[in-house]
Amino acid sequence: MLQTASAVGLLRTILIILLIYYGLKILSRIFAPYLVRYMSKKMQERFGGQFQQQQPYREKEKQNVGETVIDKMPKTDASSNKTVGEYIDYEEID
């Protein structure tokens, strides 16, 4: 059985879509501040946790006052070429 679309059905569908759109728009304005507050609190907890993880390292640094600590040695693979070119002496001409 083949059904055809009616103008009333199309109008009803458009009305339902508009109601859902504006309903979500109104609900987002109501709940957006709570969502932003919740997300900022979670980010603050995450960054606070990272800060707490680094506290033992900072306390260790305070105990060793005056001691030089090298965490990472620089790479010595790069070699400089001392013979880049010859030096040419020049005079500035007015």
Side-chain angles (χ1 to χ4, degrees):
M1 175 188 276
L2 185 64
Q3 295 181 357
T4 59
S6 64
V8 176
L10 178 65
L11 187 60
R12 183 186 298 168
T13 304
I14 292 174
L15 184 62
I16 290 172
I17 290 172
L18 287 175
L19 284 173
I20 290 173
Y21 172 74
Y22 283 112
L24 288 175
K25 197 172 182 181
I26 291 170
L27 287 175
S28 68
R29 284 190 180 191
I30 293 171
F31 292 115
Y34 299 113
L35 182 65
V36 170
R37 192 175 304 135
Y38 174 76
M39 293 297 289
S40 66
K41 187 183 290 186
K42 285 293 182 182
M43 292 299 287
Q44 184 178 9
E45 288 174 1
R46 181 183 298 169
F47 288 128
Q50 289 178 354
F51 180 73
Q52 291 296 329
Q53 287 177 354
Q54 291 185 3
Q55 281 296 340
Y57 297 117
R58 292 180 184 220
E59 290 174 2
K60 186 178 178 182
E61 289 175 1
K62 289 179 183 179
Q63 292 174 356
N64 300 332
V65 175
E67 183 177 328
T68 304
V69 178
I70 300 174
D71 292 333
K72 183 178 176 184
M73 294 294 293
K75 293 182 180 179
T76 57
D77 297 347
S79 61
S80 63
N81 190 357
K82 297 291 182 182
T83 58
V84 175
E86 66 180 274
Y87 178 74
I88 299 174
D89 192 21
Y90 70 95
E91 287 186 18
E92 192 171 321
I93 301 175
D94 292 328

